[in-house]
Amino acid sequence: MGPTAPTDWLDIEHFREPIEVNLIGLINVTINMLPLVKQAKGRIVNVSSTGGRLAFCGGGYCPSKFGVEGFNDSLRRDMKAFGVKVSCIQPGLFKTPLTDLEKILKEKEVIWNRLPPDTKKQYGEDFTDAAKKEKLTKACLNTDISLVVECMEHALTSLHPCAHYVVGQDAKWFWTPLSRMPAGVQDFLLLRNREEPAVSHRK
């Protein structure tokens, strides 16, 4: 997943790893297997995220998943002529090691401690304490990972697989509907979940 933090806390290496693994790695595996998949008129099932529809955090994770969505859409259209069905799984937030809030906050704290004093001053020393609340993330966590597996099974075995599988109550009733709303509505709801930097209150 890589660290999730405000963009101006990060450097290019924080973005590189999640993009290399989640996007470049996925593309590399896919294109190397394509000749065999086309020959067999098989299926391709890639895993994106609701973070590929709506950037709910800073860092490399959401850009990598937006890339997966774009790659998967173009691949699906390219493969139609060869009888290859392409699906994309879009899970919401599930309780896994990736969403371990304690680990996420520790990564964020390490980055915070390395920031220059001017940046810390802009955000305010109490910014990281406020970030520990993460109310929305806690409220949205799904615990039944079998829902994702069931979608994968359907995509692989059903006569008419879906192009997209939206998985999890949070994905169906919050993230996906929010991704279709105007940017102003998205910003208002997502920013309510986090403390604003101290600088935003100054003229």
Side-chain angles (χ1 to χ4, degrees):
M1 186 166 182
T4 58
T7 304
D8 55 342
W9 293 18
L10 305 173
D11 58 40
I12 192 63
E13 294 306 319
H14 291 126
F15 288 85
R16 193 182 305 280
E17 186 174 10
I19 291 172
E20 284 284 350
V21 173
N22 296 341
L23 179 57
I24 303 302
L26 179 146
I27 293 172
N28 191 29
V29 171
T30 303
I31 60 177
N32 278 284
M33 296 300 295
L34 268 182
L36 291 174
V37 176
K38 286 165 65 178
Q39 184 179 336
K41 293 189 177 181
R43 298 188 181 191
I44 298 170
V45 181
N46 285 320
V47 180
S48 174
S49 165
T50 50
R53 299 180 61 94
L54 181 70
F56 51 71
C57 63
Y61 180 77
C62 289
S64 74
K65 294 301 185 177
F66 268 83
V68 170
E69 289 287 339
F71 173 72
N72 221 67
D73 283 347
S74 60
L75 179 68
R76 186 181 66 252
R77 295 173 188 124
D78 292 341
M79 291 297 105
K80 277 188 182 294
F82 302 100
V84 174
K85 293 180 169 65
V86 179
S87 297
C88 192
I89 312 292
Q90 299 171 335
L93 299 176
F94 279 79
K95 191 173 182 181
T96 71
L98 280 182
T99 54
D100 182 342
L101 191 56
E102 187 176 337
K103 177 176 175 287
I104 291 169
L105 291 174
K106 280 182 180 177
E107 288 178 338
K108 192 176 288 187
E109 189 173 355
V110 168
I111 295 171
W112 169 265
N113 290 335
R114 294 175 180 170
L115 291 177
D118 284 351
T119 304
K120 288 183 177 181
K121 186 177 180 181
Q122 289 170 353
Y123 278 86
E125 290 293 337
D126 58 347
F127 183 82
T128 49
D129 292 331
K132 291 177 183 178
K133 298 174 184 176
E134 295 285 348
K135 296 172 288 186
L136 193 56
T137 303
K138 290 179 182 177
C140 288
L141 277 182
N142 298 278
T143 56
D144 186 5
I145 199 71
S146 68
L147 297 174
V148 180
V149 179
E150 288 169 6
C151 288
M152 292 175 175
E153 181 184 15
H154 188 274
L156 288 168
T157 62
S158 66
L159 187 61
H160 300 292
C162 302
H164 301 98
Y165 291 84
V166 179
V167 198
Q169 293 299 313
D170 63 319
K172 290 178 180 177
W173 303 111
F174 183 72
W175 301 114
T176 300
L178 184 58
S179 72
R180 295 177 178 140
M181 292 183 185
V185 176
Q186 295 174 3
D187 294 351
F188 174 76
L189 289 174
L190 292 177
L191 288 172
R192 279 177 64 87
N193 183 54
R194 61 172 91 161
E195 185 75 7
E196 292 185 40
V199 73
S200 65
H201 302 294
R202 299 175 188 156
K203 295 295 184 183

